[in-house]
Each structure stands twice: as C-alpha cells, then as structure tokens.
Amino acid sequence: MAGIREPRLAVSVDLDGLGCYYAIHGLGEPPPAPARHLVLRTCLPRFLDLFARHGVQATFFVVGADLHADPEGRAILADLARSGHELANHTHTHPYHFTRLPRAEMAGEIDRAHAAIADVAGRAPTGFRAPGYAINRQAFELLLERGYAYDSSVFPSPPYYAAKALVMGAMRLVGRRSASVLDDPRALLAPRVAYPATAGSPYRPSTGGPGLLEIPIAVTPGLRLHVIGTSLILAPGWLRRHMISAALASPLFNLELHGIDLADAQADGVPSALVARQPDLRRPLVHKLRVFDELFTAVRGQGGRFVCLSAVQTAGR
Ligand SMILES: [Zn+2]
C-alpha cells in the first residue's frame, strides 16, 4: 500500500545463563549442571528452529565466559555464526554492576568476551549490550576505542524501571539482595528510535565527536510499555497485539528476547526456586512458541524484513 512502510524487525537474544537469574533473585550459588547449561544447550536450539521456520536472521548477545565453560554450547554458537546469524558482546561474566566497575575491569569484561566471540564466530563482534541495560560514559569510551559500531543497552521504559525498582525494594524489605542495579534514570527519556550517541551523551542524540549508534530496546509510543520477550509472553492477547502493532509502526522494532524465554520449566528441570520467582517460566513452552510464531508470521504477512542489529545503519530505512 502506498505510503505505508513494511515493518523492519531486529530480533536479538541475550544468552544469560540461569546463574544470572540466581543473582537477580538473590538465590545464591548458581544451579549445578545440567541446569547450568540449559540456555545454550537446550533453549538455543529451540530458537534456531523457530528462526529457521520464519527466515529470521538474529543477533545473539553472548556471555564470553560461557564459551570457555561449555564446549557443547560453544559448538552450537559456532554453527549458528556460520549460518549467518550475528554474535555480539554481552560482557565476559555478565556483572550487573558493570557501570560501577573501575575502568580496567570494565575493559577486561569487554575485551575477554570480544576475543572469545571473535574466536568462535571467525569475525570480531561490532555490537554490545550491557548486563541489566545499564550503560555509561566510560563504557561508551571503551567501546569507541575498540571500534564498536553500535550499542543496544538503552531501555527507555519507565514502567519497566518502576517495576524493577519495586521488586528490588521488596527484596530488601525481606533481607534478600539482588545483584541488579538500577540504570541512570536519564535513560528513560532517551529516544525510542536508533540515534547517534557519543561518550558524553549516551542517552541523547549527539554528533559532537566520535560516536556509535545506540539502538534502544523497543517500547510503545506514549506509555513506553516495554516490548520484550517476557512482556509479550505474559501479556493478555489484546495487550500483546497492541504492543506488537505499535512496535511494528516504528522505523525499527528492536525486539529483545532472552534464552530462558524458550525454557520448558518442567521438562527441562528448571529449579523450582527460580520458577517461583520468574512468572514467564510458569507459562508452557507451547504458549511461548505460539506468541513468537504469531509475531513473525504477522511481520512476513506485512512484507516485513528481519535484520541483524549490525545491519541497522540509522533510525530510518
Ligand atoms: Zn543479560
């Protein structure tokens, strides 16, 4: 139809292991094998099947240390890089206090993951996402020094921010400690569309000096509801359809998923302490697959395109 743009959808999957969720929920030591390797060995192949059904080329944000810890998961990632998916940098150990790290430690987190991912993929990553969506000037400086093309950490969603603050506050009340860190609230006012950012201006468009492209995670116009895997899985059908059509009307729908989004809690033996704290884990796998199948089918039905984040050049087409 003349004047109506076809949607453009960038799908990314953060491959946080179950240990990351243990840290968020203050559950102590990460779970033993096989749950420890669940995301790479069990969930990741489900994503590859799903994406193959729809011709989706996706971006996978990899935690570098997992490549050393899990040879089986590493082999799966090497295969998917060969088949044209993008591997990007999600730090080496996924520290939630990433923005509070001294410069040398932060650089080590970026560099060790960079080397491990380049080794597996056969090409160096050009994109970065911080753990827990928190980014700052020092991180941007380090990414710029290393020639990174884009960052996709900014999450301009006040409802998500408020919900996270509430959970962290409630945990403190009962004496449990979350590893989570709240992002700089200025991120909540960041643009919804991709913008040129500099180290001095991570949250606002700026062309003053060397910069990289910031590709914010999808939120709806107006209320800025977060449109990510877990919110789509948990939303009632009417709200999910609203969130999807609003996100697809943007120049780019930057859909962030997590490896755990395709866990089948019971069949996969996800520890019950974690299932009790993650409502999305209590939804059956068949429901979660249906949500994503419907979304990708809708995109294809509208003549839309799936792009890796490294192919996103500007906010426009
Ligand atoms: Zn993560």
Side-chain angles (χ1 to χ4, degrees):
M1 217 186 298
I4 295 190
R5 273 193 310 233
E6 311 80 32
R8 201 168 53 137
L9 175 60
V11 182
S12 59
V13 187
D14 298 358
L15 295 172
D16 307 10
L18 259 51
C20 297
Y21 296 89
Y22 269 56
I24 288 177
H25 296 296
L27 289 173
E29 277 303 294
R36 184 172 293 214
H37 300 307
L38 176 70
V39 165
L40 292 190
R41 294 186 187 177
T42 307
C43 301
L44 183 53
R46 290 179 187 145
F47 278 101
L48 294 176
D49 284 349
L50 169 69
F51 293 163
R53 282 203 289 283
H54 297 280
V56 175
Q57 294 278 291
T59 302
F60 292 89
F61 284 95
V62 179
V63 177
D66 291 344
L67 296 171
H68 300 298
D70 181 8
E72 197 177 306
R74 177 191 164 92
I76 298 171
L77 282 164
D79 267 353
L80 71 90
R82 270 193 295 274
S83 67
H85 295 290
E86 176 190 359
L87 300 191
N89 190 332
H90 198 33
T91 72
H92 195 64
T93 65
H94 204 273
Y96 284 100
H97 59 305
F98 179 69
T99 51
R100 297 179 183 171
L101 291 177
R103 191 177 189 90
E105 276 181 53
M106 187 185 269
E109 282 288 337
I110 296 170
D111 290 341
R112 291 169 73 198
H114 184 95
I117 293 164
D119 189 40
V120 167
R123 55 184 178 273
T126 62
F128 181 81
R129 178 170 289 153
Y133 313 109
I135 195 83
N136 63 3
R137 170 193 277 264
Q138 180 176 269
F140 264 46
E141 285 170 356
L142 293 168
L143 293 172
L144 281 166
E145 282 169 19
R146 286 153 180 78
Y148 271 60
Y150 75 88
D151 172 73
S152 181
S153 305
V154 167
F155 196 9
S157 172
Y160 177 85
Y161 189 91
K164 182 169 166 178
L166 202 65
V167 169
M168 287 170 67
M171 283 176 67
R172 262 197 302 277
L173 279 179
V174 295
R176 290 213 330 266
R177 253 186 77 78
S178 172
S180 275
V181 170
L182 278 174
D183 192 13
D184 186 325
R186 284 178 300 174
L188 303 177
L189 299 172
R192 297 172 46 241
V193 295
Y195 59 93
T198 57
S201 176
Y203 310 118
R204 304 299 301 169
S206 166
T207 48
L212 40 71
L213 188 66
E214 176 59 43
I215 312 174
I217 289 162
V219 298
T220 62
L223 285 177
R224 293 194 163 213
L225 300 175
H226 48 291
V227 191
I228 62 175
T230 36
S231 59
L232 293 177
I233 287 167
L234 293 172
W238 64 269
L239 179 57
R240 183 167 64 247
R241 284 187 289 278
H242 164 74
M243 289 157 81
I244 288 173
S245 66
L248 285 176
S250 297
L252 174 78
F253 178 1
N254 180 18
L255 173 64
E256 184 215 26
L257 308 176
H258 284 91
I260 201 176
D261 288 345
L262 290 188
D264 183 337
Q266 209 165 23
D268 296 342
V270 178
S272 55
L274 186 55
V275 178
R277 286 170 178 82
Q278 284 274 135
D280 48 290
L281 280 172
R282 302 197 285 276
R283 297 300 172 99
L285 177 61
V286 62
H287 164 76
K288 299 189 273 194
L289 284 169
R290 190 165 55 229
V291 166
F292 300 128
D293 268 320
E294 277 177 12
L295 166 58
F296 299 151
T297 301
V299 171
R300 289 161 62 210
Q302 294 174 42
R305 285 189 292 139
F306 300 103
V307 292
C308 291
L309 286 170
S310 60
V312 177
Q313 302 289 333
T314 64
R317 307 299 296 165

